[in-house]
Amino acid sequence: MRITHQTDNLWARLLDVPRALTQRSYLTPGELKFTIDDDRMCPANNRTWHLRADGPEAMCVPTGETADVTITLSALSSLYFGGMSARHLAYAGHIAAHTDGAIGRLARMFWTDPEPHNSFGF
């Protein structure tokens, strides 16, 4: 009998939010404003950001507009690779929606196909 189990092999933490989000590609074009307010390590990330993605091109800039969602930095870092569910993170309290459909839009923008896979621990 073979026993298998799942483990976390890779953890990520975004240090420079706008740079990270503009260096990533997006399968689904979209636009979203999000607030981060819990980053004690890099306080420059604590603000509202406007993300606009169109395939391989993206821009992420600070904005004074009202956010569609408030998201913890750890949740955004989890979504970055495309394998985490925005809906699950919202259910767990890491994302709060402020506009209708924002969680779905966030989920579609950050989804990847194929999902990420890391078979090596390091």
Side-chain angles (χ1 to χ4, degrees):
M1 176 199 290
R2 180 175 177 195
I3 299 174
T4 62
H5 64 281
Q6 183 177 355
T7 62
D8 289 334
N9 289 328
L10 181 63
W11 289 53
R13 185 202 192 284
L14 300 182
L15 297 175
D16 185 339
V17 168
R19 185 169 183 200
L21 296 184
T22 57
Q23 297 299 310
R24 176 191 197 283
S25 63
Y26 299 83
L27 287 177
T28 303
E31 196 167 341
L32 189 77
K33 292 178 244 9
F34 62 93
T35 297
I36 298 171
D37 61 9
D38 70 333
D39 193 347
R40 292 186 301 241
M41 184 177 178
C42 300
N45 290 328
N46 292 326
R47 62 184 64 200
T48 300
W49 299 95
H50 182 181
L51 173 64
R52 182 180 306 141
D54 187 14
E57 301 293 323
M59 70 99 190
C60 184
V61 295
T63 184
E65 297 180 52
T66 303
D68 299 305
V69 299
T70 298
I71 186 169
T72 63
L73 184 68
S74 62
L76 183 62
S77 298
S78 294
L79 289 173
Y80 184 75
F81 291 114
M84 179 54 69
S85 165
R87 287 180 184 11
H88 289 159
L89 290 167
Y91 183 76
H94 297 284
I95 304 171
H98 307 302
T99 59
D100 289 339
I103 300 296
R105 193 164 62 247
L106 178 66
R108 287 186 300 278
M109 286 178 70
F110 279 82
W111 181 74
T112 60
D113 184 25
E115 287 189 1
H117 176 73
N118 177 25
S119 61
F120 297 101
F122 49 88

